[in-house]
Amino acid sequence: MMLSRSTAKAAIGHGGGKSRLIPTTSTIIHRLKSSGCPVTGPILKKVPTLPFVGSMIPQHSGLPVFQMSRQYEFNSELRQKFGEFIHYGIPGFGVGLYGHMYTIFDPNEMAKVVRSEGAYPSGLIEKLWQWRRAMLESGSVLVSKKDSSSSDGETHDYGLFDKGEGWKRHRTFLQTGMLDPVAARGFLPGIVLAAESASSVAPLHSHNVNEYMNYTAFDMFCSFMFGKQMNTTSTSVSTDPTVKGENKENEQFVTAALGVFEKTNAMNLFPLEFLMAKFFPWYKTTKYQALQDDWDTVREIGLRLIY
């Protein structure tokens, strides 16, 4: 579970009173021990960081090497090496020149953070700078100009992909349509039908279960969002040229959607991508241009399905 600096402040200060961040945490623990108070909860471990690259150089930080093929093992290795509560740096996700951020693995401690976040919590989605840039450059209606720039220099509000009042308004609107029992009775049959269709071709995807899950999730989500059965889980493994021809656009849709996620993850491995976007916003790297191409495809087909 990853936390921003402000969120970690809530974790350290939970229970009332003023809260301070590192390096005063060790002082607080020392005082508690000296007073005879029991010290519970995980101890914060600081991982070395550098400007611009954070902790992304394993030879300096000691962080496990992050590779796309081993992304699920990364957190497990991180926990084994540094413990339950970690402070390290990932530019683009974290805060400031060093990309400072926190990861906590104890669910009980994380529950304290969630309860302390308030009406406008900070989440991972607001850190997807690639998506925000693509939204702005493609003219998304979710993006609006702020009356004045925020403390970080941001001049636009990204709605559901931001935080604060704009996020709250979009979230409340979607939540009403998604979680209301009356509304759910309308879209759940479509989701069930998409799941049944995907289940029928599961054996044909045995060579790549992760891809199968991606296609299945896409079909189930689209049945809710667009009220349409996309059937990409089945047509992607079909050998019938007629079937594939009829579903060509849907397969383009899912391929581009998955491409956005894959390219976002790949770009996050290279701090240079974030730095180029931050300091040279007019320049588009090869990786970002590829992501934007997929983004534009998703947007174009999605708008056709809506209208």
Side-chain angles (χ1 to χ4, degrees):
M1 301 174 182
M2 294 181 289
L3 316 176
S4 67
R5 181 178 290 273
S6 59
T7 307
K9 186 181 292 185
I12 295 174
H14 181 79
K18 294 183 178 180
S19 57
R20 291 187 177 181
L21 293 176
I22 308 119
T24 57
T25 308
S26 58
T27 303
I28 295 171
I29 293 172
H30 175 73
R31 289 175 179 173
L32 287 171
K33 287 182 176 179
S34 300
S35 65
C37 295
V39 179
T40 60
I43 304 301
L44 182 67
K45 175 71 174 180
K46 290 189 69 175
V47 178
T49 59
L50 291 171
F52 300 112
V53 296
S55 304
M56 297 296 285
I57 301 179
Q59 293 84 349
H60 174 261
S61 66
L63 223 62
V65 177
F66 186 90
Q67 298 174 328
M68 293 302 296
S69 59
R70 302 186 69 255
Q71 56 182 311
Y72 297 110
E73 290 84 0
F74 177 78
N75 278 334
S76 177
E77 294 175 1
L78 189 67
R79 182 182 188 182
Q80 290 176 10
K81 188 167 187 177
F82 294 104
E84 299 284 338
F85 191 16
I86 310 165
H87 171 258
Y88 57 115
I90 298 184
F93 282 102
V95 177
L97 191 64
Y98 292 78
H100 284 149
M101 61 185 294
Y102 299 80
T103 289
I104 188 165
F105 292 99
D106 189 321
N108 295 315
E109 297 299 319
M110 187 61 194
K112 300 176 184 177
V113 178
V114 174
R115 288 195 295 267
S116 301
E117 283 185 320
Y120 306 123
S122 177
L124 182 63
I125 197 168
E126 72 193 58
K127 298 296 184 181
L128 298 178
W129 62 267
Q130 307 95 326
W131 292 23
R132 289 158 67 114
R133 181 180 179 182
M135 290 169 64
L136 180 62
E137 295 179 348
S138 63
S140 172
V141 295
L142 293 178
V143 182
S144 60
K145 183 81 171 178
K146 292 183 177 180
D147 295 332
S148 59
S149 59
S150 54
S151 58
D152 60 358
E154 180 57 64
T155 57
H156 290 81
D157 186 287
Y158 295 86
L160 193 63
F161 296 83
D162 212 321
K163 62 181 177 182
E165 185 56 40
W167 168 85
K168 187 74 171 181
R169 184 174 62 256
H170 286 234
R171 171 68 175 172
T172 301
F173 174 78
L174 285 176
Q175 186 171 319
T176 301
M178 292 173 63
L179 302 181
D180 179 72
V182 176
R185 281 197 292 270
F187 63 73
L188 277 177
I191 293 178
V192 172
L193 182 61
E196 289 177 344
S197 175
S199 298
S200 67
V201 295
L204 299 178
H205 287 271
S206 59
H207 63 287
N208 194 331
V209 176
N210 190 54
E211 180 185 75
Y212 168 72
M213 297 301 292
N214 286 335
Y215 276 96
T216 302
F218 177 83
D219 285 348
M220 294 170 67
F221 173 78
C222 287
S223 71
F224 154 70
M225 181 59 66
F226 303 112
K228 178 182 178 181
Q229 294 298 314
M230 307 298 281
N231 298 315
T232 62
T233 312
S234 56
T235 60
S236 63
V237 292
S238 175
T239 57
D240 187 333
T242 302
V243 172
K244 294 192 74 68
E246 292 174 347
N247 216 47
K248 181 180 179 180
E249 185 173 80
N250 290 346
E251 290 197 31
Q252 289 176 337
F253 193 17
V254 67
T255 299
L258 296 179
V260 168
F261 283 97
E262 292 168 359
K263 293 175 176 65
T264 299
N265 288 336
M267 291 178 72
N268 288 334
L269 295 177
F270 299 93
L272 181 61
E273 290 288 333
F274 169 71
L275 296 174
M276 290 294 291
K278 183 176 180 63
F279 295 108
F280 304 97
W282 46 267
Y283 180 74
K284 296 181 180 180
T285 66
T286 302
K287 287 183 174 63
Y288 175 75
Q289 185 60 63
L291 181 144
Q292 188 177 42
D293 290 342
D294 281 342
W295 183 280
D296 290 342
T297 298
V298 170
R299 185 171 187 270
E300 178 184 345
I301 297 176
L303 288 176
R304 277 205 298 271
L305 290 171
I306 293 173
Y307 298 109

